[in-house]
Coordinates of all heavy atoms in Angstrom, one line a residue:
G252 N 151.6 -34.6 -76.1 CA 152.6 -35.7 -75.8 C 153.9 -35.0 -75.2 O 154.0 -33.8 -75.1
N253 N 154.7 -35.9 -74.7 CA 156.0 -35.4 -74.2 C 157.0 -36.6 -74.3 O 157.5 -37.2 -73.3 CB 155.9 -35.0 -72.7 CG 157.2 -34.3 -72.2 OD1 158.1 -34.0 -73.0 ND2 157.3 -34.1 -70.9
A254 N 157.2 -37.0 -75.5 CA 157.8 -38.3 -75.8 C 159.2 -38.5 -75.4 O 160.1 -37.6 -75.7 CB 157.7 -38.6 -77.3
P255 N 159.5 -39.5 -74.6 CA 160.9 -39.9 -74.3 C 161.6 -40.6 -75.5 O 160.9 -41.3 -76.3 CB 160.8 -40.8 -73.1 CG 159.5 -41.5 -73.3 CD 158.6 -40.5 -74.0
F256 N 162.9 -40.4 -75.6 CA 163.7 -41.0 -76.7 C 164.9 -41.6 -76.0 O 165.8 -40.8 -75.5 CB 164.1 -39.9 -77.7 CG 164.7 -40.5 -79.0 CD1 164.0 -40.5 -80.2 CD2 166.1 -40.9 -79.0 CE1 164.6 -41.0 -81.3 CE2 166.6 -41.4 -80.1 CZ 165.9 -41.5 -81.3
K275 N 162.6 -34.8 -84.6 CA 162.6 -33.7 -83.7 C 162.2 -32.4 -84.4 O 161.4 -31.6 -83.9 CB 163.9 -33.6 -83.0 CG 164.1 -32.3 -82.1 CD 163.1 -32.4 -80.9 CE 161.9 -31.5 -81.0 NZ 161.1 -31.5 -79.8
G280 N 159.3 -28.9 -85.0 CA 159.0 -29.5 -83.7 C 157.6 -29.5 -83.3 O 157.3 -29.9 -82.2
V282 N 154.9 -31.2 -83.5 CA 154.3 -32.5 -83.8 C 154.0 -33.2 -82.4 O 154.9 -33.2 -81.6 CB 155.2 -33.4 -84.6 CG1 154.6 -34.7 -85.0 CG2 155.6 -32.6 -85.9
C283 N 152.9 -33.7 -82.3 CA 152.5 -34.3 -81.0 C 153.4 -35.5 -80.6 O 153.6 -35.7 -79.4 CB 151.0 -34.7 -81.0 SG 150.6 -35.9 -82.3
V284 N 153.9 -36.3 -81.6 CA 154.7 -37.4 -81.3 C 156.2 -37.1 -81.4 O 157.0 -38.0 -81.4 CB 154.4 -38.6 -82.2 CG1 153.0 -39.1 -81.8 CG2 154.5 -38.3 -83.6
S285 N 156.5 -35.8 -81.5 CA 157.9 -35.4 -81.6 C 158.7 -35.8 -80.4 O 158.2 -35.6 -79.3 CB 158.0 -33.9 -81.8 OG 159.4 -33.5 -81.8
P286 N 159.9 -36.4 -80.5 CA 160.7 -36.7 -79.3 C 161.1 -35.4 -78.6 O 161.6 -34.5 -79.2 CB 161.9 -37.5 -79.9 CG 162.0 -37.1 -81.3 CD 160.6 -36.8 -81.8
D287 N 160.8 -35.3 -77.3 CA 161.1 -34.1 -76.6 C 162.2 -34.3 -75.6 O 163.1 -33.5 -75.4 CB 159.9 -33.6 -75.8 CG 158.9 -32.9 -76.6 OD1 159.2 -32.4 -77.7 OD2 157.7 -32.7 -76.2
R288 N 162.2 -35.5 -74.9 CA 163.1 -35.8 -73.8 C 164.1 -36.9 -74.2 O 163.7 -38.0 -74.4 CB 162.4 -36.2 -72.5 CG 161.4 -35.1 -72.0 CD 160.6 -35.7 -70.9 NE 159.7 -36.7 -71.3 CZ 159.3 -37.7 -70.5 NH1 159.8 -37.9 -69.3 NH2 158.4 -38.6 -71.0
F289 N 165.3 -36.5 -74.5 CA 166.3 -37.5 -74.9 C 167.1 -38.0 -73.7 O 167.9 -37.3 -73.1 CB 167.2 -36.8 -75.9 CG 166.6 -36.5 -77.3 CD1 165.8 -35.4 -77.4 CD2 166.7 -37.4 -78.3 CE1 165.2 -35.1 -78.6 CE2 166.1 -37.1 -79.5 CZ 165.3 -36.0 -79.7
F290 N 166.9 -39.3 -73.5 CA 167.7 -40.0 -72.4 C 168.8 -40.8 -73.1 O 168.5 -41.8 -73.8 CB 166.8 -40.9 -71.6 CG 165.7 -40.1 -70.9 CD1 164.4 -40.1 -71.4 CD2 165.9 -39.5 -69.6 CE1 163.4 -39.4 -70.7 CE2 164.9 -38.9 -69.0 CZ 163.6 -38.8 -69.5
V372 N 170.4 -30.9 -68.8 CA 169.0 -30.7 -68.5 C 168.6 -31.6 -67.4 O 168.9 -32.7 -67.3 CB 168.1 -31.0 -69.8 CG1 166.7 -30.8 -69.4 CG2 168.5 -30.1 -70.9
V378 N 161.4 -27.4 -69.8 CA 161.7 -27.9 -71.1 C 161.6 -29.5 -71.1 O 161.4 -30.1 -72.2 CB 163.0 -27.4 -71.6 CG1 164.2 -28.1 -70.8 CG2 163.2 -27.5 -73.1
F379 N 161.8 -30.1 -70.0 CA 161.7 -31.5 -69.9 C 160.4 -32.0 -69.3 O 159.8 -33.0 -69.8 CB 162.8 -32.0 -68.9 CG 163.6 -33.2 -69.4 CD1 164.3 -33.1 -70.7 CD2 163.8 -34.3 -68.7 CE1 165.1 -34.1 -71.1 CE2 164.6 -35.4 -69.2 CZ 165.2 -35.3 -70.4
E381 N 157.4 -30.6 -69.5 CA 156.2 -30.3 -70.3 C 156.5 -30.4 -71.8 O 157.7 -30.3 -72.2 CB 155.8 -28.8 -70.0 CG 155.4 -28.5 -68.6 CD 155.0 -27.1 -68.4 OE1 154.9 -26.3 -69.4 OE2 154.8 -26.7 -67.2
E382 N 155.5 -30.7 -72.5 CA 155.7 -30.8 -74.0 C 156.1 -29.4 -74.5 O 155.4 -28.4 -74.2 CB 154.3 -31.1 -74.7 CG 154.4 -31.2 -76.2 CD 153.0 -31.5 -76.8 OE1 152.0 -31.1 -76.2 OE2 153.0 -32.2 -77.9
N383 N 157.2 -29.3 -75.2 CA 157.7 -28.0 -75.6 C 157.1 -27.6 -77.0 O 157.0 -26.4 -77.3 CB 159.2 -27.9 -75.6 CG 159.9 -28.8 -76.6 OD1 159.7 -28.8 -77.8 ND2 160.7 -29.7 -76.1
F384 N 156.8 -28.6 -77.8 CA 156.1 -28.3 -79.1 C 156.8 -27.2 -79.9 O 156.3 -26.2 -80.4 CB 154.6 -27.8 -78.8 CG 153.7 -28.3 -79.9 CD1 153.5 -29.6 -80.2 CD2 153.0 -27.4 -80.7 CE1 152.6 -30.0 -81.2 CE2 152.1 -27.8 -81.7 CZ 151.9 -29.1 -81.9
G385 N 158.1 -27.5 -80.0 CA 159.0 -26.6 -80.8 C 160.3 -27.2 -81.1 O 160.5 -28.4 -80.8
P386 N 161.2 -26.5 -81.8 CA 162.5 -27.1 -82.2 C 163.5 -27.2 -81.2 O 164.6 -26.6 -81.3 CB 162.9 -26.1 -83.4 CG 162.4 -24.8 -82.9 CD 161.1 -25.1 -82.2
V387 N 163.2 -27.9 -80.1 CA 164.1 -28.0 -78.9 C 164.3 -29.4 -78.5 O 163.4 -30.1 -78.2 CB 163.5 -27.2 -77.7 CG1 164.6 -27.2 -76.6 CG2 163.1 -25.8 -78.1
A388 N 165.6 -29.9 -78.6 CA 165.9 -31.2 -78.1 C 166.6 -31.1 -76.8 O 167.7 -30.5 -76.7 CB 166.9 -31.9 -79.1
A389 N 166.0 -31.6 -75.7 CA 166.6 -31.5 -74.4 C 167.2 -32.9 -74.1 O 166.5 -33.9 -74.1 CB 165.5 -31.2 -73.4
I390 N 168.5 -32.9 -73.8 CA 169.3 -34.1 -73.6 C 169.8 -34.3 -72.2 O 170.4 -33.4 -71.6 CB 170.4 -34.2 -74.7 CG1 169.9 -34.0 -76.1 CG2 171.3 -35.4 -74.5 CD1 170.9 -33.9 -77.2
A411 N 153.6 -41.1 -77.2 CA 154.6 -41.9 -77.9 C 155.8 -42.0 -77.1 O 156.1 -41.1 -76.2 CB 154.9 -41.2 -79.3
Y413 N 160.1 -43.7 -77.6 CA 161.0 -44.3 -78.6 C 162.2 -44.9 -77.8 O 162.7 -44.4 -76.8 CB 161.6 -43.3 -79.6 CG 160.5 -42.5 -80.3 CD1 160.1 -41.3 -79.8 CD2 159.8 -43.1 -81.4 CE1 159.0 -40.6 -80.4 CE2 158.8 -42.4 -82.0 CZ 158.4 -41.1 -81.5 OH 157.4 -40.4 -82.1

Side-chain angles (χ1 to χ4, degrees):
N253 190 12
F256 190 105
K275 175 65 260 184
V282 182
C283 57
V284 294
S285 175
D287 280 346
R288 298 174 294 147
F289 289 82
F290 297 98
V372 178
V378 73
F379 227 57
E381 300 177 8
E382 179 182 32
N383 64 61
F384 213 62
V387 187
I390 301 175
Y413 308 96

